[in-house]
Amino acid sequence: MQAFDADRQPAFTSGTESTGVSLRRDGAAVVLTARGEFDAVTTPRLQAAIREAFEGGPGVLVLDLTDVEFFSSSALAVLVEAQRVAGERTQVRLAVEHRIARTLTLLGLDGLFPQYPSAAEAIAGS
């Protein structure tokens, strides 16, 4: 797997300057931090970043969604696809706040992913 620069912020254009995705390594885990709004325009960048995060087959992929303000149905579909791609080789863990956790529960997707209140707790798995 390629090395991730802690300050790396892949660039992309969106309707809001505050939307972005970054990747970093934390021990054996790869952490993808998303912030802002993920709609039809911005979700493809999230999808590309998740594919990049899977390169090299990490044991754990943490999707930190604690700074996400809006997560469309297309973004939720990307999470489900990530879980499918991960299979047995990578455990996908989510760091989510109440509003996204609630959405996952309402849609019956909460059982697909271990959920944690912070990225640090998701990395630790506790």
Side-chain angles (χ1 to χ4, degrees), residues 4-80:
F4 295 116
D5 181 347
D7 296 323
R8 183 169 169 229
Q9 299 273 329
F12 67 100
T13 304
S14 69
T16 174
E17 289 290 320
S18 64
T19 298
V21 178
S22 64
L23 292 171
R24 68 180 170 88
R25 218 181 225 302
D26 189 312
V30 172
V31 180
L32 183 151
T33 302
R35 68 182 189 295
E37 299 180 358
F38 290 88
D39 55 21
V41 173
T42 54
T43 294
R45 181 60 195 128
L46 175 66
Q47 186 175 34
I50 290 172
R51 275 195 303 265
E52 184 177 342
F54 277 129
E55 291 177 8
V60 175
L61 172 59
V62 173
L63 302 175
D64 182 356
L65 307 177
T66 56
D67 287 331
V68 170
E69 298 165 19
F70 176 76
F71 216 62
S72 71
S73 59
S74 61
L76 289 167
V78 166
L79 292 186
V80 173

